[in-house]
Amino acid sequence: MTLEESIKDLANSTINSENDWYSWRTINENKLPQGIHLPQGNQYKKNISLKNQLNKKLQSAENHEDKKELLKYYISTWGGIHGNSEEKMDEYTRSTDSEIIALGSNGIASWSKALCIRNPNNFAIFDARVSASLNALQIINNTKTPTLYPILTSRNKVVKAGINLFKKEAKIQKWQPADALTFYSNYLTLLENVAATIDKELHASKTTIEMLLFAKSEELIKKAFPNEKF
């Protein structure tokens, strides 16, 4: 089974009208920037609304500092990544999309968030949990020519253990590393192709599929390595 087929199976068996499977983190609505208010509903609905509202604020922002505040909120406050310098945040705010993507896996958990609120329809987050799910699905469904997606650091105990297991598996089975220059665009194509197979009434998008991969990472790691103790 190809990776795309694996993601399709996961998506079509999980995504529904409520999407209560996304419950990883409750948004602290006291820290929302620039007057943003979220609707009632579960964390999936709130996160979709948050991304769209951040995008609207970013489009209407009149100066660099207001734009940087929005990106910094999404990367640091919402995303929990606190290691970016002011210079790096300036870079993510000023650079073009292509300049940011050219950074490759370096800082991708941060810069993909920046791209997402610039254009949530075109971009999606890529982080350690998403990468882990992509790698795990290839083991679970015995992909014939597996690709090792970039190994990113994580503070999550299961994901950290999975990272080491993926490295061992890839070395033993001689997986091909994902191309540094094209893997992100290939990842976006995967998400788009999978989203197109979901019932249109469920309004699934690239973001929906990315959120699914994120939410299911621990479950998929444990399924990929059933004999391990996590």
Side-chain angles (χ1 to χ4, degrees):
M1 184 181 289
T2 67
L3 176 57
E4 183 173 318
E5 290 169 340
S6 297
I7 304 171
K8 285 179 181 177
D9 278 359
L10 177 65
N12 281 286
S13 64
T14 308
I15 294 170
N16 53 49
S17 60
E18 294 301 319
N19 291 328
D20 284 329
W21 44 261
Y22 187 84
S23 57
W24 173 69
R25 176 184 289 174
T26 300
I27 297 171
N28 185 341
E29 298 188 35
N30 293 322
K31 294 185 177 181
L32 293 171
Q34 299 183 16
I36 289 175
H37 295 282
L38 300 182
Q40 294 296 314
N42 61 23
Q43 289 305 302
Y44 174 84
K45 293 175 181 177
K46 286 178 181 288
N47 273 276
I48 293 293
S49 176
L50 174 63
K51 188 175 292 185
N52 290 332
Q53 289 190 66
L54 287 168
N55 171 255
K56 290 180 180 179
K57 291 287 186 180
L58 192 65
Q59 298 304 317
S60 62
E62 297 182 352
N63 59 66
H64 173 81
E65 290 304 317
D66 285 345
K67 292 178 181 179
K68 187 168 75 169
E69 179 190 14
L70 294 165
L71 266 63
K72 191 171 184 178
Y73 165 81
Y74 203 52
I75 293 170
S76 180
T77 305
W78 177 86
I81 302 175
H82 303 289
N84 290 294
S85 65
E86 288 299 313
E87 290 76 15
K88 182 59 69 175
M89 292 305 307
D90 282 328
E91 179 183 0
Y92 293 154
T93 305
R94 296 185 189 281
S95 298
T96 64
D97 295 348
S98 59
E99 287 171 340
I100 291 176
I101 293 171
L103 296 171
S105 61
N106 183 29
I108 191 169
S110 293
W111 65 247
S112 62
K113 292 179 177 67
L115 290 182
C116 278
I117 63 168
R118 284 186 179 190
N119 192 329
N121 293 323
N122 286 354
F123 299 112
I125 295 170
F126 187 98
D127 61 12
R129 294 173 69 101
V130 168
S131 179
S133 288
L134 294 173
N135 289 326
L137 282 168
Q138 295 178 90
I139 296 172
I140 294 166
N141 293 306
N142 196 28
T143 299
K144 289 184 178 180
T145 54
T147 297
L148 181 64
Y149 281 83
I151 300 296
L152 306 179
T153 58
S154 175
R155 292 173 292 179
N156 179 278
K157 182 177 71 172
V158 175
V159 176
K160 284 174 70 175
I163 285 169
N164 292 326
L165 293 167
F166 292 133
K167 289 179 180 178
K168 292 178 182 178
E169 182 75 10
K171 185 176 182 180
I172 293 170
Q173 300 299 331
K174 298 180 180 180
W175 289 26
Q176 182 69 31
D179 184 270
L181 297 178
T182 62
F183 82 88
Y184 182 67
S185 60
N186 291 339
Y187 160 67
L188 296 178
T189 299
L190 274 176
L191 301 185
E192 183 173 3
N193 290 346
V194 173
T197 72
I198 307 299
D199 187 333
K200 290 183 179 180
E201 292 184 0
L202 297 178
H203 305 291
S205 62
K206 284 189 182 78
T207 294
T208 306
I209 310 305
E210 170 259 304
M211 291 171 72
L212 177 64
L213 292 171
F214 179 94
K216 294 292 184 178
S217 59
E218 295 176 58
E219 177 183 325
L220 293 173
I221 290 168
K222 291 176 181 179
K223 191 173 181 179
F225 301 105
N227 297 323
E228 297 291 333
K229 293 182 179 180
F230 294 94

